[in-house]
Amino acid sequence: AAPGTTAYALRSLGRPDAPLWVRPSLDPALVGWALRFWRSCRRSRFRRGYAALVELNRPTFELFDGLREAGVETTLRTPGLVHAFLSVDAARHHLAVQRAVPGCELPGGVVTGEAVRSLDPALGPGVAAAYVVAGEGVVDPDRLVRSLAASLPVHESVAVTGLRRSGGRVTAVRTGEGERRCSAVVIAAGAWSASLLRLPLQSGKGYSFSVRLENAPHHPLYLGDRRVVASPMN
């Protein structure tokens, strides 16, 4: 949710090829969610939410260090994230939005013209402007998850039916095979998390595919005009 997102969504209505496509519906839950989203696009709320995300992610690399010390193959690299755009104005606008919240390591300006290829040789001639956010990382998610699974006990096909709380904390997870005591719990069930939490969640679709490139990017790339991320792996 950010300033301008609502107008962008409205322009995407009825366009199945748009990066964001919303199927119109009179579902009360969807309408209520859309109203909350629209309110969250106000500049003040956006800045507050963005600042919260920055703070939430501040210790991320330290936590990855802890995983590595525990024997997990994190595959983490931190080459920086290249933001690429088809117009100079779009690049400058996106950089200005990020600058509105303190805490990010941002460049002084955008790189334009032929110089954008110096940021990453995989950028094509249609890219008019780009910039690098230093320190951003990328992982190979398949290898990371496989290594995590080898380091932790995993119980598959076990339905979670609820949580037991005591003194404001979750002390056990209720499952179809009985309760499992815990000191902390992470709920990461996507749209199905709503059955365990009273949160206004709506399901959405994302797409991921892999390609082999002769000129693969050296950095993860954010292609701002299409809302696409390209992550180099292997």
Side-chain angles (χ1 to χ4, degrees):
T5 302
T6 303
Y8 179 82
L10 291 174
R11 290 197 302 271
S12 299
L13 284 176
R15 284 184 52 209
D17 63 332
L20 174 65
W21 183 65
V22 180
R23 178 179 294 168
S25 171
L26 295 179
D27 176 16
L30 176 59
V31 173
W33 179 90
L35 286 172
R36 288 171 179 258
F37 186 92
W38 171 66
R39 293 193 188 104
S40 295
C41 287
R42 296 172 184 169
R43 193 167 299 278
S44 59
R45 288 197 182 190
F46 164 73
R47 287 181 176 175
R48 190 162 62 246
Y50 198 5
L53 285 175
V54 170
E55 191 60 32
L56 181 67
N57 282 287
R58 196 177 302 281
T60 295
F61 291 148
E62 294 176 17
L63 296 173
F64 267 94
D65 290 340
L67 286 176
R68 191 181 299 108
E69 292 168 4
V72 175
E73 185 189 11
T74 66
T75 72
L76 175 67
R77 297 187 298 110
T78 54
L81 175 64
V82 174
H83 295 248
F85 298 85
L86 300 178
S87 77
V88 176
D89 288 344
R92 287 173 176 164
H93 170 75
H94 199 269
L95 180 58
V97 169
Q98 289 184 286
R99 278 209 187 105
V101 178
C104 297
E105 295 182 37
L106 298 172
V110 303
V111 176
T112 62
E114 285 298 319
V116 300
R117 252 62 67 193
S118 66
L119 300 183
D120 197 292
L123 295 177
V127 176
Y131 60 91
V132 180
V133 178
E136 294 281 7
V138 62
V139 301
D140 182 326
D142 183 66
R143 287 166 56 200
L144 169 58
V145 171
R146 287 179 184 274
S147 185
L148 275 173
S151 306
L152 299 168
V154 178
H155 306 276
E156 296 185 270
S157 302
V158 178
V160 176
T161 58
L163 308 171
R164 180 154 61 83
R165 298 174 175 84
S166 178
R169 294 181 62 86
V170 174
T171 58
V173 177
R174 295 192 175 101
T175 77
E177 300 178 357
E179 287 192 351
R180 298 182 185 272
R181 295 185 60 81
C182 63
S183 58
V185 63
V186 176
I187 298 174
W192 291 273
S193 302
S195 63
L196 298 172
L197 302 169
R198 293 181 178 177
L199 290 174
L201 296 176
Q202 285 290 322
S203 59
K205 278 186 178 181
Y207 298 92
S208 175
F209 59 91
S210 300
V211 294
R212 293 189 179 275
L213 301 174
E214 291 184 9
N215 187 23
H218 296 172
H219 305 75
L221 309 176
Y222 174 65
L223 311 178
D225 301 271
R226 295 295 182 265
R227 274 71 170 177
V228 171
V229 172
S231 295
M233 287 184 256
N234 300 325

PDB file of all heavy atoms in Angstrom, residues 188-220:
ATOM      1  N   ALA A 188       2.898 -18.926   9.159  1.00  0.00           N
ATOM      2  CA  ALA A 188       3.290 -18.579   7.790  1.00  0.00           C
ATOM      3  C   ALA A 188       2.490 -19.446   6.822  1.00  0.00           C
ATOM      4  O   ALA A 188       3.051 -20.210   6.047  1.00  0.00           O
ATOM      5  CB  ALA A 188       4.789 -18.783   7.605  1.00  0.00           C
ATOM      6  N   ALA A 189       1.178 -19.328   6.901  1.00  0.00           N
ATOM      7  CA  ALA A 189       0.288 -20.163   6.093  1.00  0.00           C
ATOM      8  C   ALA A 189      -0.400 -19.370   4.993  1.00  0.00           C
ATOM      9  O   ALA A 189      -1.444 -19.787   4.494  1.00  0.00           O
ATOM     10  CB  ALA A 189      -0.747 -20.831   6.993  1.00  0.00           C
ATOM     11  N   GLY A 190       0.163 -18.222   4.637  1.00  0.00           N
ATOM     12  CA  GLY A 190      -0.437 -17.421   3.580  1.00  0.00           C
ATOM     13  C   GLY A 190      -1.857 -17.018   3.918  1.00  0.00           C
ATOM     14  O   GLY A 190      -2.180 -16.695   5.066  1.00  0.00           O
ATOM     15  N   ALA A 191      -2.729 -17.059   2.922  1.00  0.00           N
ATOM     16  CA  ALA A 191      -4.116 -16.647   3.121  1.00  0.00           C
ATOM     17  C   ALA A 191      -4.838 -17.536   4.127  1.00  0.00           C
ATOM     18  O   ALA A 191      -5.821 -17.114   4.742  1.00  0.00           O
ATOM     19  CB  ALA A 191      -4.854 -16.662   1.792  1.00  0.00           C
ATOM     20  N   TRP A 192      -4.341 -18.768   4.306  1.00  0.00           N
ATOM     21  CA  TRP A 192      -4.974 -19.683   5.256  1.00  0.00           C
ATOM     22  C   TRP A 192      -4.664 -19.304   6.710  1.00  0.00           C
ATOM     23  O   TRP A 192      -5.242 -19.868   7.630  1.00  0.00           O
ATOM     24  CB  TRP A 192      -4.531 -21.114   4.971  1.00  0.00           C
ATOM     25  CG  TRP A 192      -5.079 -21.628   3.671  1.00  0.00           C
ATOM     26  CD1 TRP A 192      -6.289 -22.240   3.460  1.00  0.00           C
ATOM     27  CD2 TRP A 192      -4.472 -21.544   2.399  1.00  0.00           C
ATOM     28  NE1 TRP A 192      -6.450 -22.544   2.137  1.00  0.00           N
ATOM     29  CE2 TRP A 192      -5.358 -22.129   1.450  1.00  0.00           C
ATOM     30  CE3 TRP A 192      -3.255 -21.034   1.948  1.00  0.00           C
ATOM     31  CZ2 TRP A 192      -5.049 -22.215   0.093  1.00  0.00           C
ATOM     32  CZ3 TRP A 192      -2.964 -21.119   0.594  1.00  0.00           C
ATOM     33  CH2 TRP A 192      -3.853 -21.705  -0.311  1.00  0.00           C
ATOM     34  N   SER A 193      -3.761 -18.351   6.913  1.00  0.00           N
ATOM     35  CA  SER A 193      -3.473 -17.898   8.273  1.00  0.00           C
ATOM     36  C   SER A 193      -4.693 -17.278   8.931  1.00  0.00           C
ATOM     37  O   SER A 193      -4.772 -17.189  10.151  1.00  0.00           O
ATOM     38  CB  SER A 193      -2.321 -16.880   8.258  1.00  0.00           C
ATOM     39  OG  SER A 193      -1.160 -17.443   7.685  1.00  0.00           O
ATOM     40  N   ALA A 194      -5.643 -16.818   8.113  1.00  0.00           N
ATOM     41  CA  ALA A 194      -6.840 -16.164   8.656  1.00  0.00           C
ATOM     42  C   ALA A 194      -7.645 -17.096   9.545  1.00  0.00           C
ATOM     43  O   ALA A 194      -8.387 -16.636  10.415  1.00  0.00           O
ATOM     44  CB  ALA A 194      -7.712 -15.641   7.518  1.00  0.00           C
ATOM     45  N   SER A 195      -7.519 -18.410   9.343  1.00  0.00           N
ATOM     46  CA  SER A 195      -8.266 -19.342  10.184  1.00  0.00           C
ATOM     47  C   SER A 195      -7.688 -19.422  11.587  1.00  0.00           C
ATOM     48  O   SER A 195      -8.345 -19.906  12.507  1.00  0.00           O
ATOM     49  CB  SER A 195      -8.266 -20.737   9.550  1.00  0.00           C
ATOM     50  OG  SER A 195      -6.943 -21.240   9.463  1.00  0.00           O
ATOM     51  N   LEU A 196      -6.459 -18.950  11.776  1.00  0.00           N
ATOM     52  CA  LEU A 196      -5.818 -18.958  13.090  1.00  0.00           C
ATOM     53  C   LEU A 196      -5.708 -17.565  13.694  1.00  0.00           C
ATOM     54  O   LEU A 196      -5.562 -17.420  14.905  1.00  0.00           O
ATOM     55  CB  LEU A 196      -4.414 -19.566  12.987  1.00  0.00           C
ATOM     56  CG  LEU A 196      -4.348 -21.026  12.521  1.00  0.00           C
ATOM     57  CD1 LEU A 196      -2.895 -21.419  12.269  1.00  0.00           C
ATOM     58  CD2 LEU A 196      -4.972 -21.944  13.556  1.00  0.00           C
ATOM     59  N   LEU A 197      -5.772 -16.532  12.866  1.00  0.00           N
ATOM     60  CA  LEU A 197      -5.620 -15.152  13.318  1.00  0.00           C
ATOM     61  C   LEU A 197      -6.792 -14.317  12.838  1.00  0.00           C
ATOM     62  O   LEU A 197      -7.294 -14.524  11.740  1.00  0.00           O
ATOM     63  CB  LEU A 197      -4.328 -14.542  12.753  1.00  0.00           C
ATOM     64  CG  LEU A 197      -3.028 -15.247  13.083  1.00  0.00           C
ATOM     65  CD1 LEU A 197      -1.908 -14.683  12.232  1.00  0.00           C
ATOM     66  CD2 LEU A 197      -2.701 -15.091  14.556  1.00  0.00           C
ATOM     67  N   ARG A 198      -7.198 -13.371  13.641  1.00  0.00           N
ATOM     68  CA  ARG A 198      -8.267 -12.462  13.219  1.00  0.00           C
ATOM     69  C   ARG A 198      -7.649 -11.277  12.489  1.00  0.00           C
ATOM     70  O   ARG A 198      -7.490 -10.185  13.030  1.00  0.00           O
ATOM     71  CB  ARG A 198      -9.076 -12.002  14.430  1.00  0.00           C
ATOM     72  CG  ARG A 198      -9.870 -13.143  15.083  1.00  0.00           C
ATOM     73  CD  ARG A 198     -10.688 -12.659  16.257  1.00  0.00           C
ATOM     74  NE  ARG A 198     -11.467 -13.739  16.845  1.00  0.00           N
ATOM     75  CZ  ARG A 198     -12.226 -13.606  17.929  1.00  0.00           C
ATOM     76  NH1 ARG A 198     -12.304 -12.440  18.526  1.00  0.00           N
ATOM     77  NH2 ARG A 198     -12.900 -14.638  18.402  1.00  0.00           N
ATOM     78  N   LEU A 199      -7.295 -11.516  11.242  1.00  0.00           N
ATOM     79  CA  LEU A 199      -6.675 -10.487  10.411  1.00  0.00           C
ATOM     80  C   LEU A 199      -7.414 -10.410   9.088  1.00  0.00           C
ATOM     81  O   LEU A 199      -7.880 -11.425   8.566  1.00  0.00           O
ATOM     82  CB  LEU A 199      -5.202 -10.825  10.142  1.00  0.00           C
ATOM     83  CG  LEU A 199      -4.239 -10.732  11.312  1.00  0.00           C
ATOM     84  CD1 LEU A 199      -2.867 -11.238  10.898  1.00  0.00           C
ATOM     85  CD2 LEU A 199      -4.134  -9.304  11.816  1.00  0.00           C
ATOM     86  N   PRO A 200      -7.530  -9.209   8.510  1.00  0.00           N
ATOM     87  CA  PRO A 200      -8.198  -9.056   7.207  1.00  0.00           C
ATOM     88  C   PRO A 200      -7.267  -9.495   6.077  1.00  0.00           C
ATOM     89  O   PRO A 200      -6.515  -8.693   5.524  1.00  0.00           O
ATOM     90  CB  PRO A 200      -8.506  -7.557   7.146  1.00  0.00           C
ATOM     91  CG  PRO A 200      -7.434  -6.922   7.980  1.00  0.00           C
ATOM     92  CD  PRO A 200      -7.113  -7.906   9.073  1.00  0.00           C
ATOM     93  N   LEU A 201      -7.301 -10.778   5.732  1.00  0.00           N
ATOM     94  CA  LEU A 201      -6.431 -11.321   4.694  1.00  0.00           C
ATOM     95  C   LEU A 201      -7.236 -11.698   3.461  1.00  0.00           C
ATOM     96  O   LEU A 201      -8.340 -12.222   3.573  1.00  0.00           O
ATOM     97  CB  LEU A 201      -5.706 -12.563   5.218  1.00  0.00           C
ATOM     98  CG  LEU A 201      -4.738 -12.358   6.376  1.00  0.00           C
ATOM     99  CD1 LEU A 201      -4.182 -13.706   6.840  1.00  0.00           C
ATOM    100  CD2 LEU A 201      -3.603 -11.444   5.969  1.00  0.00           C
ATOM    101  N   GLN A 202      -6.655 -11.424   2.305  1.00  0.00           N
ATOM    102  CA  GLN A 202      -7.247 -11.840   1.036  1.00  0.00           C
ATOM    103  C   GLN A 202      -6.179 -12.584   0.238  1.00  0.00           C
ATOM    104  O   GLN A 202      -5.003 -12.216   0.259  1.00  0.00           O
ATOM    105  CB  GLN A 202      -7.740 -10.631   0.233  1.00  0.00           C
ATOM    106  CG  GLN A 202      -9.020 -10.017   0.760  1.00  0.00           C
ATOM    107  CD  GLN A 202     -10.240 -10.902   0.533  1.00  0.00           C
ATOM    108  OE1 GLN A 202     -10.361 -11.547  -0.508  1.00  0.00           O
ATOM    109  NE2 GLN A 202     -11.136 -10.936   1.499  1.00  0.00           N
ATOM    110  N   SER A 203      -6.598 -13.621  -0.457  1.00  0.00           N
ATOM    111  CA  SER A 203      -5.637 -14.399  -1.228  1.00  0.00           C
ATOM    112  C   SER A 203      -5.237 -13.649  -2.496  1.00  0.00           C
ATOM    113  O   SER A 203      -5.997 -12.836  -3.019  1.00  0.00           O
ATOM    114  CB  SER A 203      -6.230 -15.760  -1.600  1.00  0.00           C
ATOM    115  OG  SER A 203      -7.413 -15.581  -2.353  1.00  0.00           O
ATOM    116  N   GLY A 204      -4.036 -13.924  -2.958  1.00  0.00           N
ATOM    117  CA  GLY A 204      -3.543 -13.321  -4.194  1.00  0.00           C
ATOM    118  C   GLY A 204      -2.681 -14.325  -4.934  1.00  0.00           C
ATOM    119  O   GLY A 204      -2.357 -15.389  -4.406  1.00  0.00           O
ATOM    120  N   LYS A 205      -2.312 -14.005  -6.156  1.00  0.00           N
ATOM    121  CA  LYS A 205      -1.497 -14.896  -6.970  1.00  0.00           C
ATOM    122  C   LYS A 205      -0.141 -14.267  -7.242  1.00  0.00           C
ATOM    123  O   LYS A 205      -0.021 -13.056  -7.432  1.00  0.00           O
ATOM    124  CB  LYS A 205      -2.173 -15.178  -8.317  1.00  0.00           C
ATOM    125  CG  LYS A 205      -3.244 -16.256  -8.269  1.00  0.00           C
ATOM    126  CD  LYS A 205      -3.733 -16.546  -9.682  1.00  0.00           C
ATOM    127  CE  LYS A 205      -4.777 -17.651  -9.692  1.00  0.00           C
ATOM    128  NZ  LYS A 205      -5.236 -17.941 -11.067  1.00  0.00           N
ATOM    129  N   GLY A 206       0.869 -15.108  -7.281  1.00  0.00           N
ATOM    130  CA  GLY A 206       2.179 -14.677  -7.721  1.00  0.00           C
ATOM    131  C   GLY A 206       2.727 -15.715  -8.672  1.00  0.00           C
ATOM    132  O   GLY A 206       2.282 -16.871  -8.660  1.00  0.00           O
ATOM    133  N   TYR A 207       3.672 -15.354  -9.497  1.00  0.00           N
ATOM    134  CA  TYR A 207       4.218 -16.275 -10.480  1.00  0.00           C
ATOM    135  C   TYR A 207       5.739 -16.264 -10.403  1.00  0.00           C
ATOM    136  O   TYR A 207       6.359 -15.225 -10.212  1.00  0.00           O
ATOM    137  CB  TYR A 207       3.780 -15.880 -11.899  1.00  0.00           C
ATOM    138  CG  TYR A 207       2.283 -15.919 -12.087  1.00  0.00           C
ATOM    139  CD1 TYR A 207       1.512 -14.781 -11.870  1.00  0.00           C
ATOM    140  CD2 TYR A 207       1.653 -17.102 -12.444  1.00  0.00           C
ATOM    141  CE1 TYR A 207       0.133 -14.816 -12.023  1.00  0.00           C
ATOM    142  CE2 TYR A 207       0.272 -17.151 -12.599  1.00  0.00           C
ATOM    143  CZ  TYR A 207      -0.478 -16.005 -12.385  1.00  0.00           C
ATOM    144  OH  TYR A 207      -1.842 -16.053 -12.527  1.00  0.00           O
ATOM    145  N   SER A 208       6.321 -17.455 -10.525  1.00  0.00           N
ATOM    146  CA  SER A 208       7.771 -17.590 -10.496  1.00  0.00           C
ATOM    147  C   SER A 208       8.198 -18.593 -11.551  1.00  0.00           C
ATOM    148  O   SER A 208       7.562 -19.635 -11.713  1.00  0.00           O
ATOM    149  CB  SER A 208       8.233 -18.054  -9.115  1.00  0.00           C
ATOM    150  OG  SER A 208       9.619 -18.307  -9.108  1.00  0.00           O
ATOM    151  N   PHE A 209       9.238 -18.274 -12.292  1.00  0.00           N
ATOM    152  CA  PHE A 209       9.775 -19.234 -13.249  1.00  0.00           C
ATOM    153  C   PHE A 209      11.281 -19.013 -13.365  1.00  0.00           C
ATOM    154  O   PHE A 209      11.794 -17.944 -13.013  1.00  0.00           O
ATOM    155  CB  PHE A 209       9.102 -19.108 -14.621  1.00  0.00           C
ATOM    156  CG  PHE A 209       9.229 -17.763 -15.263  1.00  0.00           C
ATOM    157  CD1 PHE A 209      10.289 -17.478 -16.107  1.00  0.00           C
ATOM    158  CD2 PHE A 209       8.278 -16.773 -15.029  1.00  0.00           C
ATOM    159  CE1 PHE A 209      10.407 -16.222 -16.701  1.00  0.00           C
ATOM    160  CE2 PHE A 209       8.387 -15.519 -15.617  1.00  0.00           C
ATOM    161  CZ  PHE A 209       9.458 -15.251 -16.455  1.00  0.00           C
ATOM    162  N   SER A 210      11.962 -20.031 -13.813  1.00  0.00           N
ATOM    163  CA  SER A 210      13.420 -19.982 -13.925  1.00  0.00           C
ATOM    164  C   SER A 210      13.825 -20.084 -15.390  1.00  0.00           C
ATOM    165  O   SER A 210      13.213 -20.821 -16.167  1.00  0.00           O
ATOM    166  CB  SER A 210      14.058 -21.138 -13.143  1.00  0.00           C
ATOM    167  OG  SER A 210      13.718 -21.057 -11.777  1.00  0.00           O
ATOM    168  N   VAL A 211      14.861 -19.344 -15.739  1.00  0.00           N
ATOM    169  CA  VAL A 211      15.401 -19.384 -17.104  1.00  0.00           C
ATOM    170  C   VAL A 211      16.926 -19.418 -17.034  1.00  0.00           C
ATOM    171  O   VAL A 211      17.521 -18.943 -16.065  1.00  0.00           O
ATOM    172  CB  VAL A 211      14.961 -18.156 -17.941  1.00  0.00           C
ATOM    173  CG1 VAL A 211      13.474 -18.167 -18.192  1.00  0.00           C
ATOM    174  CG2 VAL A 211      15.377 -16.857 -17.258  1.00  0.00           C
ATOM    175  N   ARG A 212      17.542 -20.002 -18.054  1.00  0.00           N
ATOM    176  CA  ARG A 212      18.999 -19.986 -18.168  1.00  0.00           C
ATOM    177  C   ARG A 212      19.397 -18.878 -19.142  1.00  0.00           C
ATOM    178  O   ARG A 212      18.879 -18.814 -20.248  1.00  0.00           O
ATOM    179  CB  ARG A 212      19.521 -21.339 -18.664  1.00  0.00           C
ATOM    180  CG  ARG A 212      19.323 -22.464 -17.657  1.00  0.00           C
ATOM    181  CD  ARG A 212      20.046 -23.742 -18.102  1.00  0.00           C
ATOM    182  NE  ARG A 212      19.873 -24.799 -17.121  1.00  0.00           N
ATOM    183  CZ  ARG A 212      20.640 -24.954 -16.039  1.00  0.00           C
ATOM    184  NH1 ARG A 212      21.625 -24.097 -15.808  1.00  0.00           N
ATOM    185  NH2 ARG A 212      20.419 -25.949 -15.207  1.00  0.00           N
ATOM    186  N   LEU A 213      20.304 -18.027 -18.716  1.00  0.00           N
ATOM    187  CA  LEU A 213      20.708 -16.880 -19.527  1.00  0.00           C
ATOM    188  C   LEU A 213      22.209 -16.920 -19.769  1.00  0.00           C
ATOM    189  O   LEU A 213      22.987 -17.229 -18.860  1.00  0.00           O
ATOM    190  CB  LEU A 213      20.352 -15.569 -18.820  1.00  0.00           C
ATOM    191  CG  LEU A 213      18.876 -15.329 -18.483  1.00  0.00           C
ATOM    192  CD1 LEU A 213      18.738 -14.060 -17.654  1.00  0.00           C
ATOM    193  CD2 LEU A 213      18.065 -15.205 -19.757  1.00  0.00           C
ATOM    194  N   GLU A 214      22.593 -16.600 -20.990  1.00  0.00           N
ATOM    195  CA  GLU A 214      24.032 -16.470 -21.266  1.00  0.00           C
ATOM    196  C   GLU A 214      24.601 -15.266 -20.529  1.00  0.00           C
ATOM    197  O   GLU A 214      25.729 -15.298 -20.047  1.00  0.00           O
ATOM    198  CB  GLU A 214      24.259 -16.323 -22.772  1.00  0.00           C
ATOM    199  CG  GLU A 214      23.957 -17.579 -23.574  1.00  0.00           C
ATOM    200  CD  GLU A 214      24.299 -17.398 -25.030  1.00  0.00           C
ATOM    201  OE1 GLU A 214      24.923 -16.363 -25.380  1.00  0.00           O
ATOM    202  OE2 GLU A 214      23.948 -18.280 -25.834  1.00  0.00           O
ATOM    203  N   ASN A 215      23.813 -14.211 -20.471  1.00  0.00           N
ATOM    204  CA  ASN A 215      24.255 -12.985 -19.794  1.00  0.00           C
ATOM    205  C   ASN A 215      23.395 -12.787 -18.551  1.00  0.00           C
ATOM    206  O   ASN A 215      22.546 -11.907 -18.491  1.00  0.00           O
ATOM    207  CB  ASN A 215      24.127 -11.785 -20.747  1.00  0.00           C
ATOM    208  CG  ASN A 215      24.731 -10.523 -20.152  1.00  0.00           C
ATOM    209  OD1 ASN A 215      25.589 -10.583 -19.279  1.00  0.00           O
ATOM    210  ND2 ASN A 215      24.261  -9.378 -20.621  1.00  0.00           N
ATOM    211  N   ALA A 216      23.594 -13.639 -17.563  1.00  0.00           N
ATOM    212  CA  ALA A 216      22.780 -13.585 -16.347  1.00  0.00           C
ATOM    213  C   ALA A 216      23.158 -12.359 -15.513  1.00  0.00           C
ATOM    214  O   ALA A 216      24.312 -11.905 -15.539  1.00  0.00           O
ATOM    215  CB  ALA A 216      22.986 -14.846 -15.529  1.00  0.00           C
ATOM    216  N   PRO A 217      22.203 -11.779 -14.788  1.00  0.00           N
ATOM    217  CA  PRO A 217      22.516 -10.612 -13.960  1.00  0.00           C
ATOM    218  C   PRO A 217      23.475 -10.975 -12.822  1.00  0.00           C
ATOM    219  O   PRO A 217      23.439 -12.093 -12.305  1.00  0.00           O
ATOM    220  CB  PRO A 217      21.147 -10.189 -13.414  1.00  0.00           C
ATOM    221  CG  PRO A 217      20.283 -11.401 -13.530  1.00  0.00           C
ATOM    222  CD  PRO A 217      20.773 -12.147 -14.721  1.00  0.00           C
ATOM    223  N   HIS A 218      24.328 -10.026 -12.465  1.00  0.00           N
ATOM    224  CA  HIS A 218      25.236 -10.196 -11.336  1.00  0.00           C
ATOM    225  C   HIS A 218      24.548  -9.840 -10.022  1.00  0.00           C
ATOM    226  O   HIS A 218      24.984 -10.269  -8.957  1.00  0.00           O
ATOM    227  CB  HIS A 218      26.471  -9.311 -11.508  1.00  0.00           C
ATOM    228  CG  HIS A 218      27.299  -9.681 -12.701  1.00  0.00           C
ATOM    229  ND1 HIS A 218      28.359  -8.913 -13.135  1.00  0.00           N
ATOM    230  CD2 HIS A 218      27.213 -10.728 -13.562  1.00  0.00           C
ATOM    231  CE1 HIS A 218      28.899  -9.475 -14.209  1.00  0.00           C
ATOM    232  NE2 HIS A 218      28.214 -10.566 -14.492  1.00  0.00           N
ATOM    233  N   HIS A 219      23.497  -9.021 -10.095  1.00  0.00           N
ATOM    234  CA  HIS A 219      22.756  -8.568  -8.921  1.00  0.00           C
ATOM    235  C   HIS A 219      21.304  -9.038  -9.017  1.00  0.00           C
ATOM    236  O   HIS A 219      20.818  -9.287 -10.126  1.00  0.00           O
ATOM    237  CB  HIS A 219      22.730  -7.032  -8.826  1.00  0.00           C
ATOM    238  CG  HIS A 219      24.062  -6.378  -8.834  1.00  0.00           C
ATOM    239  ND1 HIS A 219      24.828  -6.248  -9.983  1.00  0.00           N
ATOM    240  CD2 HIS A 219      24.776  -5.793  -7.833  1.00  0.00           C
ATOM    241  CE1 HIS A 219      25.948  -5.617  -9.682  1.00  0.00           C
ATOM    242  NE2 HIS A 219      25.943  -5.331  -8.390  1.00  0.00           N
ATOM    243  N   PRO A 220      20.605  -9.110  -7.899  1.00  0.00           N
ATOM    244  CA  PRO A 220      19.151  -9.191  -8.008  1.00  0.00           C
ATOM    245  C   PRO A 220      18.639  -7.879  -8.594  1.00  0.00           C
ATOM    246  O   PRO A 220      19.170  -6.802  -8.286  1.00  0.00           O
ATOM    247  CB  PRO A 220      18.685  -9.383  -6.559  1.00  0.00           C
ATOM    248  CG  PRO A 220      19.813  -8.898  -5.715  1.00  0.00           C
ATOM    249  CD  PRO A 220      21.063  -9.115  -6.500  1.00  0.00           C
TER     250      PRO A 220
END
